[in-house]
Amino acid sequence: QVQLVESGGGLVQAGGSLRLSCAASGSIFSINDMVWYRQAPGKQRALVAAITSGGTINYADSVKGRFTISRDNAKNTVYLQMNSLKPEDTAVYYCYAEVRRTYYSGTIAYWGQGTQVTVSS
């Protein structure tokens, strides 16, 4: 069993910063893509940022220039540095990872339970 645990959410004023972490644990051979999603009330869950095992990065247009995704493969951890936060960034942020449990297996997708980010004006 693989578990993803997010941390670092909280309440921050507009213009402030937060750093989210997501650590994967359990039976893991390697992790391919690691992704941050978010879901605001009444909205569909949407991709925020993604990073492959090789370091290729993709951002949503709404966060480009403000958020930075990174990963530490030795720790099976992905980070999301969020700067210049806006009230519209308020959402539950979810970690997602595609995990290879053995060398010959395909990937399995796992989700974290989410962490609340609230940006006040």
Side-chain angles (χ1 to χ4, degrees):
Q1 188 68 37
V2 173
Q3 185 176 22
L4 306 181
V5 179
E6 301 105 329
S7 62
L11 175 64
V12 66
Q13 289 184 297
S17 298
L18 286 172
R19 191 189 193 211
L20 306 183
S21 299
C22 172
S25 62
S27 181
I28 298 170
F29 178 79
S30 65
I31 303 177
N32 291 349
D33 297 345
M34 301 190 82
V35 188
W36 287 100
Y37 288 81
R38 67 186 181 186
Q39 187 166 19
K43 302 290 186 179
Q44 183 63 47
R45 188 173 299 187
L47 186 146
V48 177
I51 184 168
T52 70
S53 60
T56 300
I57 293 172
N58 186 39
Y59 294 104
D61 288 342
S62 59
V63 307
K64 200 166 188 176
R66 300 187 296 121
F67 291 10
T68 303
I69 189 170
S70 62
R71 64 190 287 169
D72 185 335
N73 291 330
K75 296 180 178 179
N76 289 330
T77 299
V78 62
Y79 305 95
L80 186 68
Q81 178 66 47
M82 305 185 294
N83 298 327
S84 301
L85 283 162
K86 305 174 181 179
E88 50 262 46
D89 295 318
T90 296
V92 178
Y93 284 70
Y94 296 92
C95 179
Y96 166 97
E98 297 177 345
V99 178
R100 293 178 66 195
R101 301 185 70 186
T102 74
Y103 181 82
Y104 297 104
S105 299
T107 59
I108 299 174
Y110 293 93
W111 289 89
Q113 294 185 354
T115 184
Q116 177 71 47
V117 172
T118 303
V119 184
S120 65
S121 60

